[in-house]
Amino acid sequence: HICISKSSDCGRNAMAGRVRAAFQELSPKRDGLVPWSRLEDFFHKLEVEPKAIKVCQFLVDDYGIIDTSKLFAWLYDDMALDYEEGLRLHYGVPASRWCVTRADFGQFLEEVMQRHEDGRIQNRPDPRTEEPNPFHDDMDIGPNMHAVNLDVIKPRTALAGGMSWALMLNPEGLHSDFFFVTHSWKEGVYEFSIKAQ
């Protein structure tokens, strides 16, 4: 077994070399870049604790690749991650309490509208059709959730510590009855807000 814990109990120095070699072996070009699916399979074979695997997944880029040099530095060189506060909240607060209030949602919508009005939500082409969203500037439909996530949610939550929008606003979670609301990623944010309210 290879221990990937930050704890000193697993013989850090002895394991560090083995872990580095294993990461290089998994890298197709031996450059330390590994497809996440390949590294995840590797961790499952080693019976790594699921929570530890989830933590590692935060280093995966938008193309499904993980730079194992960063993972190694975090595990063995005490490198701090920008989103350690987010990880702490996600593992410390039960998922049933990751909620927003109606007022929180209204505030979120105001921020989206302001960014949209300022031209800070891009109308990116759909990767399958290569066509932009025809309803991006329609105030009854609006930017789709992909665009809102990339240009509103991710930048704000990254600055706050990498937690979800709900935990950014309510770090201890909410203790109350709630409704679960879901959406389509292609759905316009204004269309969603009308249906949700």
Side-chain angles (χ1 to χ4, degrees), residues 2 16-27 34 39 42 46:
I2 293 177
R18 290 171 59 194
V19 169
R20 188 187 297 275
F23 286 169
Q24 286 298 315
E25 192 70 28
L26 289 167
S27 175
V34 179
L39 190 60
F42 173 72
L46 294 176

Side-chain angles (χ1 to χ4, degrees), residues 91-136:
Y91 290 115
V93 179
S96 61
R97 296 187 354 218
W98 302 352
C99 307
V100 294
T101 64
R102 189 179 295 272
D104 292 338
F105 182 72
Q107 197 176 19
F108 164 74
L109 193 58
E110 283 177 25
E111 183 160 346
V112 168
M113 292 174 84
Q114 186 61 59
R115 286 182 182 240
H116 188 205
E117 186 180 308
D118 294 344
R120 293 186 290 156
I121 301 179
Q122 293 182 44
N123 188 4
R124 296 172 180 83
D126 183 309
R128 289 172 299 160
T129 65
E130 297 184 8
E131 295 291 325
N133 173 9
F135 305 107
H136 185 81

Side-chain angles (χ1 to χ4, degrees), residues 4-99:
I4 65 161
S5 169
K6 290 189 82 166
S7 160
S8 58
D9 298 336
C10 67
R12 267 168 92 96
N13 295 336
M15 283 294 168
R18 290 171 59 194
V19 169
R20 188 187 297 275
F23 286 169
Q24 286 298 315
E25 192 70 28
L26 289 167
S27 175
K29 295 181 181 176
R30 300 291 191 267
D31 56 4
L33 301 178
V34 179
W36 170 245
S37 57
R38 190 172 191 176
L39 190 60
E40 188 178 27
D41 287 346
F42 173 72
F43 286 157
H44 283 300
K45 285 176 188 167
L46 294 176
E47 298 179 356
V48 171
E49 184 184 354
K51 275 191 176 182
I53 295 174
K54 271 192 171 181
V55 169
C56 297
Q57 192 172 9
F58 280 86
L59 287 169
V60 179
D61 69 15
D62 293 338
Y63 301 99
I65 303 294
I66 188 165
D67 183 343
T68 58
S69 65
K70 286 183 182 175
L71 177 57
F72 186 88
W74 180 65
L75 291 170
Y76 293 100
D77 299 334
D78 295 321
M79 179 188 88
L81 296 177
D82 293 339
Y83 36 78
E84 284 202 57
E85 176 63 8
L87 291 174
R88 186 186 68 75
L89 290 176
H90 278 269
Y91 290 115
V93 179
S96 61
R97 296 187 354 218
W98 302 352
C99 307

